[in-house]
Amino acid sequence: MESRLKIAGQAVQPILVMFPLGLFTMAVIFDMANLLGAPAIVGSLAYWNIVAGLIGGIAAAVAGAIDLAFVRRPDAKRIGVLRVLLNMGVLILFAVILMVRVGDPDRQAGVGLFLLEVAALAISGFGAWFSGELANGRTPAFARAAVGNRGY
């Protein structure tokens, strides 16, 4: 998939994806430290990392949607939609985590919410790998099977 949204010849969407990934990773690290006994401010830092990650994730999703709008081949469009749905699922999970944390005055996460954060981060890591494979022109086998190319 060739990106249509570029600055100085570089695709914008892959660059924008790195910000939410880093912010969500730091949120998980801060929450782990908070659960292990760090001061309460660390839990608040994790909360604000999630807020910033969601803002960056929405910007990356818009850039991905613009790129997807210009895809012509039906098989590439299906794979692109799969990528967008995967990334939107991660954003929805982190938005749910954020909404649950709003109820806590210290904005801290419990063990269950922390495990949901780890799962969402793992899914986002898979989504980043999947997008990288698509950007390099190598469609993973499960995606080829999803669009009907059973040449493996």
Side-chain angles (χ1 to χ4, degrees), residues 2-4 26 48 50 55 57 71 75 90 94 119 122 137 149:
E2 179 71 21
S3 178
R4 297 288 184 159
M26 287 308 300
W48 289 108
I50 292 173
I55 292 168
V71 173
D75 58 336
V90 169
F94 274 107
N149 296 333

Side-chain angles (χ1 to χ4, degrees), residues 16 30 77 82 108 116 128 132 144:
L16 289 176
F30 285 149
K77 190 170 269 287
L82 178 64
Q108 296 180 6
L116 185 60
R144 286 193 307 265

Side-chain angles (χ1 to χ4, degrees), residues 58-71:
I58 290 169
V62 168
I66 290 170
D67 284 345
L68 186 61
F70 290 102
V71 173

